[in-house]
């Protein structure tokens, strides 16, 4: 701003030694033909690993959520029972949300595994076509 007031810039930390703010994700190359990205084989493997790891982290959290969903009242009076009911309800909501996240992450990992299969098939086809070319053509 002209008056010297600091302006928020996403990704910019004035105290860092970084010369330029980050420019976004590191995956893929934009595709000129339309929406989407092109991924190389190594990136596809990395994406499968990241989504699978995230799914496992959510699965690990499900154990703690289950304990919340099974919370018992600390005492026999009304307030303790009501507190446990509310805690159990929250635990059940958390369990449902975590289950959805596990499923989403597993589905994403599966999509990238399928893409790896297509990548491998395309590589095999290209290798076959190249190997069928007559020798001596330069």
């Amino acid at each position: 701003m002209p008056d010297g007031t600091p302006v928020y810039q996403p990704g910019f930390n004035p105290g860092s030694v970084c010369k330029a703010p980050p420019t976004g994700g590191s995956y893929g190359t934009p595709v000129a033909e339309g929406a989407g990205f092109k991924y190389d084989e190594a990136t596809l493997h990395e994406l499968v690993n990241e989504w699978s790891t995230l799914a496992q982290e959510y699965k690990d959290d499900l154990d703690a959520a289950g304990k919340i969903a099974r919370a018992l009242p600390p005492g026999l009076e009304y307030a303790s029972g009501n507190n446990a009911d509310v805690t159990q309800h929250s635990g059940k909501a958390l369990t449902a949300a975590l289950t959805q996240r596990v499923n989403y992450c597993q589905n994403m990992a599966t999509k990238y595994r399928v893409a790896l299969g297509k990548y491998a098939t395309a590589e095999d086809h290209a290798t076959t076509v190249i190997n069928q070319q007559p020798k001596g053509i330069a």
Side-chain angles (χ1 to χ4, degrees):
M1 298 199 84
D3 64 2
T5 305
V7 176
Y8 172 72
Q9 295 177 347
F12 178 70
N13 179 356
S16 73
V17 294
C18 182
K19 295 183 178 155
T23 58
S26 62
Y27 295 130
T29 304
V31 178
E33 302 87 47
F37 292 89
K38 291 182 181 178
Y39 297 122
D40 61 11
E41 185 177 8
T43 300
L44 289 171
H45 281 290
E46 184 179 344
L47 288 167
V48 168
N49 184 48
E50 287 183 18
W51 282 109
S52 298
T53 299
L54 189 56
Q56 186 58 52
E57 288 175 12
Y58 283 131
K59 283 181 185 177
D60 294 343
D61 292 341
L62 276 169
D63 181 51
K67 291 175 184 173
I68 295 170
R70 295 183 304 273
L72 298 175
L76 297 177
E77 76 280 353
Y78 172 77
S80 291
N82 189 37
N83 186 332
D85 289 342
V86 171
T87 302
Q88 290 171 0
H89 181 71
S90 294
K92 289 174 185 173
L94 178 58
T95 299
L98 289 171
T99 300
Q100 289 175 342
R101 285 167 176 79
V102 167
N103 292 337
Y104 180 83
C105 292
Q106 288 174 333
N107 287 338
M108 290 301 293
T110 298
K111 287 179 184 182
Y112 287 113
R113 279 189 201 96
V114 168
L116 272 168
K118 290 179 182 178
Y119 185 92
T121 300
E123 286 289 312
D124 290 344
H125 176 71
T127 301
T128 301
V129 168
I130 289 170
N131 289 337
Q132 290 176 351
Q133 297 295 318
K135 304 292 183 210
I137 296 178

